[in-house]
Structures are given as structure tokens and as C-alpha cells.
Amino acid sequence: MTATHAATGASRLTLYGQEVSSRLLLGTALYPSPAVMEEAIRASGAEIVTVSLRRESAGGRAGDAFWRIIRSLGLKVLPNTAGCRSVKEAVTTAELARELFDTPWIKLEVVGDDETLQPDVIGLVEAAKILLDDGFEVFPYCTEDLTVATRLVEAGCRVVMPWGAPIGSGQGLMNRHGLRTLRARFPDVTLIVDAGLGAPSHAAEAMELGYDGVLLNTAVAKADDPIAMARGFALAIEGGRLAHEAGLMPPRDFATPSTPVVGTPFWHAAG
């Protein structure tokens, strides 16, 4: 039994009409070996993995090993445009990825800053419109900016993926208020926190906010034990989703006894 199937209370995730059981999307870079990557994916229960066109187009034995793992695990591939710094480059990369991976899915990234890898949100919206018009099913990687998310949804994106923090930083949810606002504003849009998560508790927090899923890579791939960390994230995501669906108690500014005292007998020693 995989981590994502340990409990059955959490609902399934729908992405452009396709359903999956796991709400964890896992990256495939930075692992110490293909074998470790395979075992980490198994431990995570993930059914969708992201992959860079640039890595796979290089081919060779590493590429062959990747595709063997994909086939053996029956995974769905979400190609990405990682490293693209212009609209033209991102669109061209997406077109090549559609041919290579035989999928209309594309994780759209347009880098705007080399130091933080923050998305170029203006270029992102422009590229998303071009790709959506060309039949792609776009998963845009953006910031938690409400206006940008609105533009992406208006363009036709049915999935939006705001960052928790800069890629690979492990800082968790830097702007919890902003992420909560996005969730409230777009109740019918699939929202996935993508990037910046460093601990399973960060993923659980995102799910408790009502997010539909989490996409991560570095926190698992670079852990001392990627396999154990992958399972830890899977359990945290499932727990956070179940808690959200069950209904979290609101925080209070005062104490409330868990055991009521009304009607409780008080015994007094005889004097």
C-alpha cells in the first residue's frame, strides 16, 4: 500500500479532466541516481512527474533509464519549460515537448530574474495565451500575485501553480495571506503550490489552506534519504488534505476547556 492510499478519505485530484489519486507531483532532477529516483517515486505514491525537455533531449543512457522508470510505474509526464527566459523560447520549448512526450500538458515557466528565478509574470501570461490557443493544457508557474492569477484564469488556464517560495529555497509558504486570498478568490480553479517547500510540514500547511496539490523536487531529491523524505511528504499532503476536508477549528484568543465543568460535582473534605 502506497502512502497516498494509506487512507481513503481524501478526494481525487482532477487536472484538465484527468483524475489521479495522489496530490503530490514530483520533480525528477537532482537525484543521486535513477534507482534512487525510482524508489522515491514509489514511496511518494506520485502519479505525475515533471521533466525538463532539455535534460531528456540529450538522450543517452540516463534518458533511457528515465523512460524505463516512467513505463514501469505507469506515470503521467508533465514536461516543463524550465530555464526559458523569453516568451518565444518558452513557446518553442513547449512545442518540442509536445512532440517528444506526446502530451498537451505543459508546465509553463518563464524566468524573470536569474538570482531568485522569479517568474516573468508578464511574459508568462503572454506565453500562456499563445499555448492555450494552440491546444495546450497549461500549468503556469507564477507568484502568489492575485492580478497575475486572474489574467491566467481569464486566458483559459484551469490550473494555476503559485510558488510557496523561490525554487530550491526550502523556505515554505512565505506569503500565507496571499495564498489564502488566491484560494478564496478562485474556488473552482485547481491551485497547486509549486516550489520553495523544504519540509513535509510546509506541504501539510498548503493543503490545510485548501490547495489541491503540491509540486516539489529539491526537498526530496537532495535529502539524506530521498525515499524516506518522499514518503514523509506524501503522508503530510494526505493529512493536510484530510484535515481541510474535515474542517479545521478556527484559532481563538482565549482558552476553551475540552472537558466542560458545568454540572461537575465538587467534593469537599468533612470539617
Side-chain angles (χ1 to χ4, degrees):
M1 180 180 295
T2 63
T4 54
H5 296 126
T8 59
S11 58
R12 293 168 65 84
L13 174 63
T14 301
L15 301 167
Y16 286 102
Q18 297 193 45
E19 284 193 352
V20 292
S21 298
S22 174
R23 292 175 178 272
L24 171 58
L25 289 69
L26 200 59
T28 56
L30 306 176
Y31 291 87
S33 71
V36 171
M37 181 184 74
E38 179 176 2
E39 289 307 309
I41 294 171
R42 289 183 185 277
S44 74
E47 299 166 59
I48 299 171
V49 293
T50 62
V51 60
S52 168
L53 171 68
R54 295 181 178 187
R55 193 190 80 174
E56 293 312 313
S57 62
R61 288 192 294 179
D64 292 341
F66 172 80
W67 282 112
R68 178 190 61 76
I69 293 169
I70 296 300
R71 288 191 295 269
S72 67
L73 298 180
L75 301 170
K76 299 180 185 296
V77 174
L78 175 59
N80 65 46
T81 62
C84 292
R85 287 169 167 75
S86 70
V87 172
K88 182 178 180 180
E89 187 179 12
V91 169
T92 300
T93 301
E95 291 169 345
L96 293 171
R98 180 164 59 181
E99 293 184 18
L100 177 62
F101 298 108
D102 190 27
T103 177
W105 284 7
I106 190 72
K107 178 188 172 187
L108 181 60
E109 302 180 34
V110 182
V111 177
D113 180 76
D114 289 338
E115 182 175 345
T116 65
L117 301 180
Q118 179 169 320
D120 171 0
V121 293
I122 297 174
L124 180 71
V125 172
E126 182 181 346
K129 290 178 178 178
I130 295 170
L131 293 173
L132 288 161
D133 287 343
D134 194 27
F136 281 88
E137 295 173 344
V138 179
F139 296 65
Y141 166 61
C142 58
T143 65
E144 75 282 9
D145 185 278
L146 177 60
T147 302
V148 173
T150 299
R151 298 287 185 271
L152 291 167
V153 172
E154 289 175 346
C157 292
R158 293 161 59 185
V159 178
V160 176
M161 304 202 300
W163 68 358
I167 293 174
S169 69
Q171 296 180 47
L173 307 185
M174 294 192 307
N175 186 356
R176 183 186 177 97
H177 174 74
L179 291 171
R180 185 187 290 111
T181 299
L182 284 186
R183 180 71 284 174
R185 184 64 62 90
F186 301 110
D188 300 322
V189 176
T190 299
L191 298 179
I192 296 173
V193 171
D194 177 10
L197 306 186
S201 58
H202 299 157
E205 185 179 11
M207 302 306 293
E208 289 170 359
L209 287 176
Y211 274 69
D212 298 288
V214 166
L215 194 160
L216 56 92
N217 187 174
T218 307
V220 169
K222 301 298 286 184
D224 291 340
D225 186 341
I227 298 165
M229 187 63 75
R231 179 167 172 77
F233 268 101
L235 292 171
I237 290 167
E238 184 171 334
R241 181 65 187 185
L242 286 170
H244 170 72
E245 293 179 345
L248 292 163
M249 67 172 289
R252 299 169 178 168
D253 294 328
F254 52 87
T256 303
S258 57
T259 302
V261 296
V262 176
T264 302
F266 291 86
W267 302 96
H268 299 277

